[in-house]
Amino acid sequence: MKINISSIIRDHWKTLRRADSKSLSYYDLLLFYGAPTLLAGFFYWEAMALTRDAYNVSITFFGIFIALMLNIQVAIFGIFQRRWESPTDKRLAEIQSRQAAARRTLLTELNANVSYVVLVCVISLFSVLLFYVQDWKNGVPPAVTVFFYGHFLLTLLMVVKRAHALFQKEYRDTPA
């Protein structure tokens, strides 16, 4: 099916594993899903409302980030396509091979995270657009919107951290 998003979600969840044991990190799950859920629950129980302007800004916000994240994916793909010449020294070639494997892993995880952020933005955009059109100011819609913002921002921080690590490696490993 052309719109099956399960692989995006599955690949993103694979990045939420502990580095030492490769088991799912419950801390990460609590952080990325639990914290936004608690914030959304607080918004719901306190009967907080959002204005039409808040939804209008959210539509713009998520729309812009969809475009930005897709551009980041193009940059990641450019790095992925880059080929390095193998050194003639066997030891140096082995070191370069390990570095290439680490880079490939980081690129794969970063791509999964960016794809997931795009997916979150698309779902958020559709939701806030619906809330805007229906003029839902309180109840579940504001809580859902707050959840999406919280989840998006935390996941974006993870993307920024991984992109930083990737680009730092590129800058460090690029010959002068």
Side-chain angles (χ1 to χ4, degrees):
M1 178 187 267
K2 298 214 185 289
I3 59 171
N4 185 352
I5 58 170
S6 63
S7 64
I8 295 171
I9 296 168
R10 183 182 56 248
D11 290 346
H12 171 71
W13 272 56
K14 285 179 185 176
T15 71
L16 301 178
R17 299 194 179 276
R18 295 168 42 110
D20 56 351
S21 67
K22 301 295 182 200
S23 65
L24 197 57
S25 171
Y26 295 109
Y27 171 78
D28 286 346
L29 289 177
L30 274 173
L31 177 66
F32 291 108
Y33 295 95
T37 300
L38 286 174
L39 187 60
F42 175 76
F43 231 75
Y44 179 79
W45 294 115
E46 291 296 318
M48 298 174 110
L50 293 178
T51 64
R52 284 181 62 83
D53 284 342
Y55 290 126
N56 192 14
V57 167
S58 297
I59 291 165
T60 303
F61 177 86
F62 287 117
I64 288 170
F65 267 97
I66 289 169
L68 289 173
M69 292 293 109
L70 291 172
N71 280 325
I72 288 174
Q73 278 191 310
V74 171
I76 292 168
F77 187 69
I79 293 171
F80 182 78
Q81 292 295 339
R82 188 176 185 181
R83 299 291 176 227
W84 297 86
E85 289 186 34
S86 291
T88 54
D89 183 293
K90 190 174 183 173
R91 233 176 16 156
L92 290 176
E94 187 178 307
I95 291 169
Q96 184 183 37
S97 176
R98 282 195 305 267
Q99 288 174 340
R103 185 180 294 115
R104 183 186 262 326
T105 298
L106 186 56
L107 284 165
T108 302
E109 289 181 355
L110 186 57
N111 181 60
N113 297 143
V114 171
S115 296
Y116 182 78
V117 168
V118 170
L119 180 62
V120 168
C121 285
V122 167
I123 293 168
S124 301
L125 177 64
F126 178 77
S127 299
V128 296
L129 185 59
L130 179 65
F131 302 155
Y132 177 79
V133 169
Q134 292 296 321
D135 200 20
W136 283 326
K137 293 181 179 148
N138 54 19
V140 172
V144 168
T145 303
V146 166
F147 171 84
F148 281 135
Y149 267 109
H151 183 59
F152 166 80
L153 290 173
L154 290 169
T155 307
L156 183 63
L157 287 174
M158 179 174 57
V159 167
V160 168
K161 177 188 170 221
R162 287 188 170 163
H164 174 76
L166 174 67
F167 291 124
Q168 282 300 104
K169 280 184 180 211
E170 287 299 308
Y171 296 141
R172 186 183 61 238
D173 295 345
T174 301

